[in-house]
Short mmCIF file of all heavy atoms in Angstrom, two decimals:
data_model
loop_
_atom_site.label_atom_id
_atom_site.label_comp_id
_atom_site.label_asym_id
_atom_site.label_seq_id
_atom_site.Cartn_x
_atom_site.Cartn_y
_atom_site.Cartn_z
N ILE A 1 9.10 4.16 -1.26
CA ILE A 1 8.61 3.88 0.04
C ILE A 1 9.66 2.98 0.77
O ILE A 1 10.01 1.94 0.28
CB ILE A 1 7.28 3.23 -0.01
CG1 ILE A 1 6.31 4.09 -0.83
CG2 ILE A 1 6.73 2.98 1.42
CD1 ILE A 1 5.06 3.36 -1.33
N HIS A 2 10.09 3.36 1.96
CA HIS A 2 11.04 2.54 2.69
C HIS A 2 10.40 2.09 4.00
O HIS A 2 9.72 2.84 4.72
CB HIS A 2 12.29 3.33 3.05
CG HIS A 2 13.00 3.88 1.81
ND1 HIS A 2 13.91 3.16 1.22
CD2 HIS A 2 12.81 5.01 1.10
CE1 HIS A 2 14.37 3.79 0.18
NE2 HIS A 2 13.66 4.89 0.08
N ASP A 3 10.62 0.84 4.37
CA ASP A 3 10.12 0.30 5.64
C ASP A 3 11.36 -0.03 6.44
O ASP A 3 11.99 -1.05 6.26
CB ASP A 3 9.25 -0.92 5.48
CG ASP A 3 8.79 -1.50 6.78
OD1 ASP A 3 8.93 -0.86 7.83
OD2 ASP A 3 8.27 -2.65 6.76
N GLY A 4 11.82 0.82 7.30
CA GLY A 4 13.05 0.66 8.04
C GLY A 4 14.24 0.69 7.03
O GLY A 4 14.21 1.47 6.08
N LYS A 5 15.14 -0.21 7.19
CA LYS A 5 16.34 -0.30 6.27
C LYS A 5 16.27 -1.45 5.28
O LYS A 5 16.96 -1.43 4.30
CB LYS A 5 17.64 -0.38 7.10
CG LYS A 5 17.90 0.81 7.96
CD LYS A 5 19.24 0.63 8.70
CE LYS A 5 19.51 1.83 9.57
NZ LYS A 5 20.75 1.63 10.31
N ALA A 6 15.36 -2.43 5.56
CA ALA A 6 15.42 -3.62 4.78
C ALA A 6 14.52 -3.65 3.56
O ALA A 6 14.81 -4.29 2.56
CB ALA A 6 15.00 -4.80 5.73
N GLU A 7 13.42 -2.94 3.57
CA GLU A 7 12.44 -3.05 2.48
C GLU A 7 12.23 -1.78 1.75
O GLU A 7 12.10 -0.72 2.38
CB GLU A 7 11.09 -3.55 3.09
CG GLU A 7 10.07 -3.86 2.03
CD GLU A 7 8.79 -4.47 2.70
OE1 GLU A 7 8.84 -4.63 3.85
OE2 GLU A 7 7.87 -4.71 1.89
N GLU A 8 12.18 -1.85 0.43
CA GLU A 8 11.95 -0.63 -0.37
C GLU A 8 10.90 -1.00 -1.47
O GLU A 8 11.01 -2.01 -2.15
CB GLU A 8 13.22 -0.12 -1.01
CG GLU A 8 13.02 1.07 -1.84
CD GLU A 8 14.32 1.64 -2.34
OE1 GLU A 8 15.02 0.91 -3.06
OE2 GLU A 8 14.62 2.80 -2.08
N ILE A 9 9.95 -0.13 -1.75
CA ILE A 9 8.93 -0.28 -2.81
C ILE A 9 9.05 0.87 -3.73
O ILE A 9 9.25 2.06 -3.35
CB ILE A 9 7.54 -0.34 -2.19
CG1 ILE A 9 7.40 -1.52 -1.23
CG2 ILE A 9 6.53 -0.48 -3.32
CD1 ILE A 9 6.18 -1.44 -0.40
N HIS A 10 8.99 0.59 -5.03
CA HIS A 10 8.97 1.65 -6.03
C HIS A 10 7.64 1.65 -6.82
O HIS A 10 7.22 0.57 -7.20
CB HIS A 10 10.05 1.39 -7.10
CG HIS A 10 11.46 1.44 -6.53
ND1 HIS A 10 12.26 2.53 -6.65
CD2 HIS A 10 12.11 0.48 -5.81
CE1 HIS A 10 13.44 2.23 -6.06
NE2 HIS A 10 13.37 1.01 -5.49
N LEU A 11 6.95 2.76 -6.87
CA LEU A 11 5.70 2.87 -7.58
C LEU A 11 5.83 3.95 -8.62
O LEU A 11 6.37 5.02 -8.38
CB LEU A 11 4.55 3.30 -6.66
CG LEU A 11 3.99 2.22 -5.67
CD1 LEU A 11 2.99 2.91 -4.78
CD2 LEU A 11 3.35 1.15 -6.48
N ASP A 12 5.41 3.61 -9.85
CA ASP A 12 5.36 4.63 -10.96
C ASP A 12 3.92 4.67 -11.47
O ASP A 12 3.36 3.63 -11.83
CB ASP A 12 6.29 4.18 -12.06
CG ASP A 12 7.71 4.11 -11.62
OD1 ASP A 12 8.17 5.11 -10.93
OD2 ASP A 12 8.35 3.13 -11.91
N ALA A 13 3.34 5.88 -11.55
CA ALA A 13 1.98 6.05 -12.09
C ALA A 13 2.10 6.99 -13.26
O ALA A 13 2.33 8.20 -13.07
CB ALA A 13 1.05 6.65 -11.04
N TYR A 14 1.91 6.46 -14.43
CA TYR A 14 1.97 7.25 -15.71
C TYR A 14 0.52 7.18 -16.32
O TYR A 14 0.26 6.27 -17.04
CB TYR A 14 2.95 6.60 -16.69
CG TYR A 14 4.41 6.69 -16.18
CD1 TYR A 14 5.02 5.58 -15.69
CD2 TYR A 14 5.08 7.87 -16.18
CE1 TYR A 14 6.32 5.62 -15.24
CE2 TYR A 14 6.38 8.01 -15.71
CZ TYR A 14 6.96 6.81 -15.23
OH TYR A 14 8.25 6.85 -14.76
N GLY A 15 -0.24 8.21 -16.00
CA GLY A 15 -1.59 8.31 -16.59
C GLY A 15 -2.62 7.47 -15.96
O GLY A 15 -3.84 7.58 -16.28
N GLU A 16 -2.26 6.54 -15.03
CA GLU A 16 -3.28 5.73 -14.36
C GLU A 16 -2.69 5.38 -12.93
O GLU A 16 -1.52 5.51 -12.64
CB GLU A 16 -3.65 4.48 -15.07
CG GLU A 16 -2.47 3.55 -15.34
CD GLU A 16 -2.88 2.37 -16.25
OE1 GLU A 16 -3.18 2.64 -17.38
OE2 GLU A 16 -2.90 1.26 -15.74
N THR A 17 -3.62 5.06 -12.06
CA THR A 17 -3.28 4.71 -10.65
C THR A 17 -2.57 3.35 -10.53
O THR A 17 -2.97 2.45 -11.28
CB THR A 17 -4.58 4.71 -9.81
OG1 THR A 17 -5.16 6.07 -9.91
CG2 THR A 17 -4.33 4.38 -8.33
N ARG A 18 -1.60 3.28 -9.63
CA ARG A 18 -0.91 2.00 -9.48
C ARG A 18 -0.96 1.58 -8.00
O ARG A 18 -0.91 2.38 -7.09
CB ARG A 18 0.57 2.19 -9.83
CG ARG A 18 0.85 2.44 -11.30
CD ARG A 18 0.61 1.19 -12.11
NE ARG A 18 0.88 1.50 -13.47
CZ ARG A 18 0.26 0.86 -14.46
NH1 ARG A 18 -0.68 -0.02 -14.25
NH2 ARG A 18 0.52 1.19 -15.73
N ASP A 19 -1.04 0.29 -7.85
CA ASP A 19 -1.01 -0.35 -6.47
C ASP A 19 0.21 -1.22 -6.29
O ASP A 19 0.63 -1.83 -7.27
CB ASP A 19 -2.24 -1.16 -6.22
CG ASP A 19 -3.55 -0.34 -6.22
OD1 ASP A 19 -3.54 0.76 -5.83
OD2 ASP A 19 -4.55 -0.88 -6.66
N ALA A 20 0.71 -1.33 -5.07
CA ALA A 20 1.72 -2.30 -4.73
C ALA A 20 1.58 -2.73 -3.29
O ALA A 20 1.14 -1.89 -2.49
CB ALA A 20 3.14 -1.68 -4.95
N THR A 21 1.87 -3.97 -2.95
CA THR A 21 1.72 -4.47 -1.63
C THR A 21 3.10 -4.77 -1.08
O THR A 21 3.93 -5.35 -1.77
CB THR A 21 0.87 -5.75 -1.58
OG1 THR A 21 -0.40 -5.48 -2.19
CG2 THR A 21 0.62 -6.20 -0.18
N SER A 22 3.32 -4.29 0.13
CA SER A 22 4.59 -4.53 0.78
C SER A 22 4.55 -5.95 1.47
O SER A 22 3.47 -6.53 1.62
CB SER A 22 4.92 -3.45 1.81
OG SER A 22 4.18 -3.65 2.98
N ALA A 23 5.67 -6.33 1.94
CA ALA A 23 5.76 -7.73 2.65
C ALA A 23 4.98 -7.67 3.90
O ALA A 23 4.53 -8.67 4.44
CB ALA A 23 7.21 -8.01 2.87
N SER A 24 4.81 -6.50 4.57
CA SER A 24 4.03 -6.39 5.81
C SER A 24 2.52 -6.33 5.65
O SER A 24 1.80 -6.20 6.50
CB SER A 24 4.56 -5.18 6.60
OG SER A 24 4.22 -3.97 5.92
#
């Protein structure tokens, strides 16, 4: 997931759901 050019988030879900929060 990319927010413009500055921020990038990587999520990996292997057999279960994963959450991540961005800086915004």
